[in-house]
Amino acid sequence: MEAPGERAGVRGERLSAGGGLKHGFSCSGRVKMKVIQPDFGRRLKRIRLERGLSQAALAHGPLSSSYVSRLESGLRLPSPDMVRHLAERLGVSEDDLVNAEPEQGERASALAEAITALSDKDFGTVVALLDPAAPEWPDRPADEWLWQALWCRAQAQAGLGDRTGRVLTLHALRDLTRDSAVDFPLARLLLELASAERAVARLDEARTVAGEAVGLLSEAPVEQPVLLARAMVLLASVETECGLVALAGTRIPRLLELAERLPDKLRTEVLWACSTVRVRQGLSNEGMTLLTSALEQADPKADILIWARLRLAAVSLHLRSFGVMTEESRTWMAEATDALAYVGSASHQAELQAVTARVHLLDGRPTEAVTMALAAEESGNLSFQDALRTKLLRARATAESTDSDAGLGIMREVAAEAERVGYLDLAAETWKEIATFLGGTQEGPAAVAP
């Protein structure tokens, strides 16, 4: 069934997420006009509000209010017939409705080019076009243009793996969202920022921002269970990494209550996160029960990547809990390896290498464990914490295979780095490993309890 406003003769073109593509056409056979989104949408909204009209009041004949909304948000390009219809409804000329001021057109053109490059995964071009030092960057950009430009830049930086640059861009977006009338959920942006802070091992900042997101969502007049669950999972994960496992554990009852109302994929991720916290708390049986539920719910037909990564996580948590590879955990490992060979990215391959290194060490093959762990580390595709944990595993394998002093030295490096960035959970684990290696002589600071 065709949506209102999209029948023959009035159908516009769909834009990629974020809007901002250029399109030219001839209106009424008289004037050649170029419709540029999102400028057209902003101008349509401004004129509509000046006329005192709601979207529903403007919608008439071939239009629906939802179609007007998509035009104003920049997610659709209108057809020539639609421009003519809107101009008549608003009592303005087609030229006044379509044509932007020269500076606005230049701004929109630069943003449109960047959005096109983003959809083509040409991340370097996006960053170059939307660099504040670039000639295309306006002297005094409007808030909405600036917000879209920064958002595109942040997505491109994620594609490039520029984690530090992405943090800086997201900080600017957060400040702009707070200080202007840009219509974007602050809590969602805070989630992006908290994840980015965590990725560069700024754990205190990540915990503060994630906590703010949880607070905003918990107090919202309309409950948003999906966003709230994501925020709480992120907060509990960061708290666990900071050594605050008891505090993270207090969030599990609420997360499990939310899980009953979540889409299947997110419910699986929530169970996965809760199982990790319980295992870190030393509640291995409860943790593995939660993980079993997640494994049972994961559907490879719905999301093969989550299905495969969950099996890798199951192997890791099983090793942490029980220190042995069972027939079941070896089956998980084989299934994950096969799936990731087809759908995994470079970061997923690095995760697989890290877990494989752990299995090699457990199987009494420390030299192979060192080789595999080093490959995962040198790929540059592990998260900061996973890279540190893999380095600790390499230290153990080095101590067992070739050089105990070298292995001990690497352990000390891991302990110092974990303490520096606030990974107190990992720091405590590493000092405990050092003490065990030295036959019970505690080297770590007394304040760091295993």
Side-chain angles (χ1 to χ4, degrees), residues 59 134 143 170 193 215 254 269 278 326 347 349 365 406:
D143 284 349
L170 289 172
L193 178 56
R254 176 61 170 147
E269 293 177 13
R278 287 304 194 217
T326 62
S347 62
Q349 291 301 324
R365 295 183 285 173

Side-chain angles (χ1 to χ4, degrees), residues 34-98:
K34 183 181 291 182
V35 173
I36 300 173
Q37 287 285 31
D39 274 16
F40 174 82
R42 286 197 293 267
R43 193 158 48 256
L44 174 63
K45 181 177 181 179
R46 175 178 57 78
I47 296 173
R48 174 178 64 77
L49 292 175
E50 287 174 355
R51 301 294 189 273
L53 298 174
S54 65
Q55 290 179 340
L58 178 59
H60 181 74
L63 277 79
S64 68
S65 58
S66 62
Y67 186 72
V68 172
S69 176
R70 289 194 292 274
L71 288 175
E72 291 185 351
S73 64
L75 297 177
R76 289 273 184 180
L77 283 170
S79 67
D81 287 343
M82 187 58 66
V83 170
R84 186 180 308 112
H85 179 84
L86 288 167
E88 291 173 356
R89 293 281 295 159
L90 293 168
V92 297
S93 69
E94 295 171 40
D95 189 65
D96 286 342
L97 182 59
V98 170

Side-chain angles (χ1 to χ4, degrees), residues 91 96 147 177 341-342:
D96 286 342
W147 201 100
T177 303
Y342 294 98

Side-chain angles (χ1 to χ4, degrees), residues 130-185:
L130 301 181
D131 186 336
E136 294 86 358
W137 193 270
D139 292 335
R140 296 178 181 177
D143 284 349
E144 290 187 8
W145 184 94
L146 179 58
W147 201 100
Q148 290 192 53
L150 290 172
W151 181 254
C152 286
R153 183 177 171 84
Q155 305 315 303
Q157 287 167 325
L160 291 170
D162 180 8
R163 294 172 177 170
T164 301
R166 177 171 163 78
V167 167
L168 295 175
T169 301
L170 289 172
H171 270 284
L173 271 168
R174 180 191 61 181
D175 295 343
L176 180 62
T177 303
R178 282 176 170 164
D179 297 342
S180 71
V182 173
D183 184 18
F184 190 85

Side-chain angles (χ1 to χ4, degrees), residues 322-342:
F322 308 113
V324 295
M325 283 290 286
T326 62
E327 182 178 347
E328 183 177 42
S329 57
R330 291 191 187 278
T331 298
W332 294 334
M333 189 72 186
E335 290 173 338
T337 301
D338 289 344
L340 291 176
Y342 294 98

